[in-house]
Amino acid sequence: MSKQHNTDIAIVGGGASGLAAAISAARTGAAVVVLEKLPRVGKKILATGNGRCNLGNLSQDAAHFHGSMDTEPVLAAFPGEVTFFRNLGLWVCPDEAGRLYPASGQAASVLDALRLPCEALGVQEVCEFTVAEILPQKDRFSIRSTDGGTVHARRVILAAGGAAGPQYGTSGEGPRLAQALGHRVTELRPALGPVAVEPGRTRALKGLRVQAKVTALRNGEPVAVEEGQVQFADGALSGICVFNLAAYQSEILSLDLVPWCEDGAALVDEIAGGRSQVALEDMLTGILPKRVGQVLLKSCTDRPLTAMVSALGPNELQILAARLKDWQFPTIPGGSWESAQVTAGGVAGIGPTLESPTVPGLYFAGEVLDVHGDSGGFNLRWAFASGMMAGAQAARELNP
């Protein structure tokens, strides 16, 4: 591309939302250019779902989406992942949990399903184009790159992502560009990633997994609850249920290790009575993985694990009962953008057409907006749905 280029619609960002927006806009006959900072589009798509690309979910529950924006009008206009991709030549299959994957089992198939129609529709990809600024003018926008190139467009769709996964090209440029244009951006937080906890608290549990109900606590009050498999890493808690709590930036994660039991004290009394002549190291093997039970017991008593269960006193049994239902792990503030899958927070105050209320002709799509979904394909649903909406709205009236 030359240093100066004119087009109808310029899309900043060649990820899932940007490519969906390109397809939607180009189908109207608009001339579309996708501006991507990396050497190729769709790099983050290829890493999704461990290379399989969990592109959506059978569930339509709106409770899976969080943030300040009303997502319902945008999602209601989206035909759904199965229909959307079937129309692009990609077959989609659900797993036992309702998560949707390409029939090929390869994320590359999803990228091809988006890239090939863009190519057929004449969408131009301009890679290694890092946007320095977007300048609204009387009847067009000038989009200037860091190397001096400029694209002039009648409409702009900002689909540059959030700050999660900088190794995939999303390191906060989208929100910064929006802010420079006068838009309010809510606090950006890593979401869908491990939660760091105080050093040493999980070292002895590294590599273990346990089913639990996990509560995120802030100022001693619960702010969110998830249930599922918790994975222990050295210095962190992981697993889908923990991922879904990461955005809350809690001060403590509390694990209920026996969510199926309401009375922890009665449970401990029964175990202690039935296993009174068993060594402490085996006391909890009937309800927990052996090493998890041992680490939990060590936090409740100074007695050696070779001692008999009958040696535990009333106070120790009470502590154990409480900890089974409320094992607390103080968290470390912040989080890792590299290990986060998506960004919580983003551009706020945007209506259902996804057009800026203050900069006519500027639209937003995907992760740059103050919307994030739970694990399970919901964030890609938002990317595709918002991209299709932004593309259609940006192209409206360009070719009457």
Side-chain angles (χ1 to χ4, degrees), residues 302-388:
D302 293 329
R303 300 180 191 278
L305 292 181
T306 53
M308 295 294 106
V309 171
S310 59
L312 293 177
N315 186 56
E316 292 164 311
L317 292 172
Q318 185 178 12
I319 293 172
L320 176 58
R323 205 149 290 176
L324 271 173
K325 298 293 291 180
D326 181 22
W327 196 8
Q328 296 194 355
F329 292 83
T331 63
I332 296 175
S336 166
W337 286 115
E338 286 73 16
S339 60
Q341 296 179 23
V342 297
T343 305
V347 180
I350 306 302
T353 66
L354 303 182
E355 185 175 13
S356 165
T358 55
V359 184
L362 174 66
Y363 296 80
F364 299 89
E367 197 176 332
V368 71
L369 290 158
D370 184 15
V371 177
H372 73 279
D374 291 335
S375 179
F378 299 101
N379 289 285
L380 277 178
R381 171 180 296 167
W382 173 248
F384 301 135
S386 60
M388 292 294 287

Side-chain angles (χ1 to χ4, degrees), residues 164-179:
Q167 64 273 34
Y168 305 117
T170 52
S171 51
E173 291 91 347
R176 285 196 293 271
L177 290 167
Q179 221 162 19

Side-chain angles (χ1 to χ4, degrees), residues 84-172:
F84 174 67
F85 278 106
R86 184 73 170 266
N87 290 335
L88 297 177
L90 180 77
W91 269 249
V92 173
C93 301
D95 68 4
E96 67 283 351
R99 295 179 293 245
L100 298 173
Y101 293 90
S104 68
Q106 295 184 327
S109 297
V110 179
L111 180 54
D112 282 342
L114 296 167
R115 185 182 56 78
L116 293 174
C118 283
E119 184 179 310
L121 289 163
V123 174
Q124 185 173 359
E125 293 178 6
V126 181
C127 295
E128 297 183 296
F129 188 106
T130 300
V131 175
E133 60 181 341
I134 301 172
L135 300 172
Q137 297 172 338
K138 184 178 180 181
D139 58 353
R140 65 178 184 174
F141 294 84
S142 290
I143 305 157
R144 189 174 61 82
S145 73
T146 54
D147 66 1
T150 303
V151 171
H152 302 292
R154 297 166 65 190
R155 305 280 191 274
V156 172
I157 300 174
L158 186 54
Q167 64 273 34
Y168 305 117
T170 52
S171 51

Side-chain angles (χ1 to χ4, degrees), residues 46-63:
L46 295 177
T48 306
N50 293 320
R52 294 174 58 211
C53 194
N54 176 198
L55 55 80
N57 200 291
L58 290 178
S59 173
Q60 300 295 316
D61 191 342

Side-chain angles (χ1 to χ4, degrees), residues 13 53 74 88 98 107 164 192-193 208 271 280 284-285 300-301 311 326 362:
C53 194
V74 176
L88 297 177
L192 297 193
L208 298 179
I271 293 171
L280 286 176
L284 301 176
T285 56
C300 300
T301 179
D326 181 22
L362 174 66

